[in-house]
Amino acid sequence: MRGRFITFEGGEGTGKSTHSTLLADRLKSLGTRVVLTREPGGSPGAEVIRHVLLSGVAKPLGIEAEAVLFAAARGDHVRNTIEPALAQGVWVVCDRFLDSTRVYQGSLGHLDPLFIRALERVTIGDLKPDLTFVLDVPAEIGLARASKRRGERVADRFEAESRAFHEALREAYREIVAAEPGRCIAIDATEPKAAVAERIWKTVTERFDSTRVSSLPAGAAS
Ligand code: T5A
């Protein structure tokens, strides 16, 4: 049986890394085989492109070139990490995926939706997440959390964008949830971490066969 594909989306500092890790750990503790991964990155080739994108050196090339680089990274990630895992029945939990391109390069970067769809066709084909959590917090809370976690390190290419940019991000994610309510679930991530994690877990067990999620032998975990 093919694995399940779950993605986490949202603006900066909304808790995607935290909650993708918590969900993967919880699934593993119940014996489900899981790959925890992220974008941009998640495969050796895509991690190289991640470095280029987040350093900001590609920004002067323009938004289309950045979108092509994100797509190149995604194509490599899908071919080398995501598809092989799903085909072997392994669940994939991914911190950011296609909605990030739709929001950052599409809605915020004003790229033509047809261009974005064309990139999707070549990078992911028919692959779609089974479930996408969109973590929602006001931009000022997300940016404050990201800044606290970053400490002395400089903000990356996207964290350094204006406050208005981050507010618009939040709105664009809300539009995605409204457009695809079957796949996307908005989560109020201003709640304490434990409460957010419980809400996510409840959704996963309701959405998928909860007996399958909880009954695999622990020795089957990867
Ligand atoms: N991008 C990416 C594009 O433009 N297009 C694309 O197609 C793709 C794939 C990636 C950047 O690339 C852009 C978007 C991004 O700007 P990144 O370094 O991967 O950059 O950064 P982000 O994905 O934004 O991730 P962050 O690390 O900034 O934020 P997270 O993962 O959402 O937040 P997390 O889990 O690290 O939490 C931040 C802090 O908040 C605390 C955590 O402990 C942590 O300290 N926290 C909470 N505190 C209180 N209450 C809660 N409920 C909390 N949840 C977490």
Side-chain angles (χ1 to χ4, degrees), residues 8-21 38-41 50 53-54 63 66-67 70-71 74 95-105 135 137 141-142 144-150 153 156-159 165-166 169 173 188-197:
F8 284 78
E9 295 280 357
E12 316 293 311
T14 49
K16 300 173 299 299
S17 310
T18 302
H19 290 289
S20 52
T21 304
R38 68 169 180 186
E39 288 208 350
R50 174 187 174 91
L53 283 163
L54 297 194
I63 194 77
E66 279 190 312
F70 277 112
R74 180 160 305 132
D95 179 351
R96 293 195 182 280
F97 194 61
L98 86 161
D99 299 302
S100 289
T101 303
R102 289 180 179 179
V103 166
Y104 283 76
Q105 284 68 51
L135 303 188
V137 298
I141 295 181
R145 285 181 187 171
S147 151
K148 191 170 160 206
R149 190 213 43 209
R150 189 172 65 240
R153 285 181 294 118
D156 71 30
R157 148 86 175 86
F158 294 95
E159 284 170 355
F165 176 93
H166 291 283
L169 270 182
Y173 270 117
D188 176 1
T190 58
E191 298 275 312
K193 275 184 213 174
V196 176

Side-chain angles (χ1 to χ4, degrees), residues 21-221:
T21 304
L22 288 172
L23 175 62
D25 287 348
R26 193 156 178 182
L27 285 164
K28 283 181 190 173
S29 75
L30 294 170
T32 306
R33 294 184 300 153
V34 180
V35 167
L36 173 63
T37 187
R38 68 169 180 186
E39 288 208 350
S43 61
E47 287 292 331
V48 173
I49 302 174
R50 174 187 174 91
H51 179 71
V52 171
L53 283 163
L54 297 194
S55 69
V57 294
K59 187 177 178 184
L61 301 177
I63 194 77
E64 285 194 9
E66 279 190 312
V68 168
L69 285 170
F70 277 112
R74 180 160 305 132
D76 193 70
H77 185 210
V78 168
R79 274 191 310 279
N80 292 303
T81 304
I82 297 176
E83 273 296 355
L86 294 174
Q88 288 171 35
V90 176
W91 290 39
V92 174
V93 176
C94 188
D95 179 351
R96 293 195 182 280
F97 194 61
L98 86 161
D99 299 302
S100 289
T101 303
R102 289 180 179 179
V103 166
Y104 283 76
Q105 284 68 51
S107 304
L108 277 289
H110 307 294
L111 269 188
D112 184 343
L114 291 177
F115 182 74
I116 301 271
R117 293 290 181 271
L119 290 177
E120 287 179 8
R121 265 200 309 281
V122 279
T123 53
I124 64 174
D126 293 333
L127 177 68
K128 268 269 184 94
D130 297 301
L131 177 62
T132 296
F133 290 107
V134 176
L135 303 188
D136 182 59
V137 298
E140 64 183 34
I141 295 181
L143 287 171
R145 285 181 187 171
S147 151
K148 191 170 160 206
R149 190 213 43 209
R150 189 172 65 240
E152 298 297 304
R153 285 181 294 118
V154 280
D156 71 30
R157 148 86 175 86
F158 294 95
E159 284 170 355
E161 290 283 357
S162 69
R163 169 87 173 277
F165 176 93
H166 291 283
E167 290 292 356
L169 270 182
R170 186 184 188 203
E171 211 36 58
Y173 270 117
R174 288 180 162 182
E175 285 168 16
I176 283 186
V177 175
E180 288 192 64
R183 172 175 69 87
C184 301
I185 307 276
I187 299 281
D188 176 1
T190 58
E191 298 275 312
K193 275 184 213 174
V196 176
E198 263 326 292
R199 167 100 165 82
I200 289 168
W201 182 247
K202 189 165 180 285
T203 305
V204 168
T205 54
E206 281 169 3
R207 177 64 65 97
F208 304 117
D209 180 356
S210 62
T211 51
R212 179 174 152 72
V213 169
S214 60
S215 69
L216 291 174

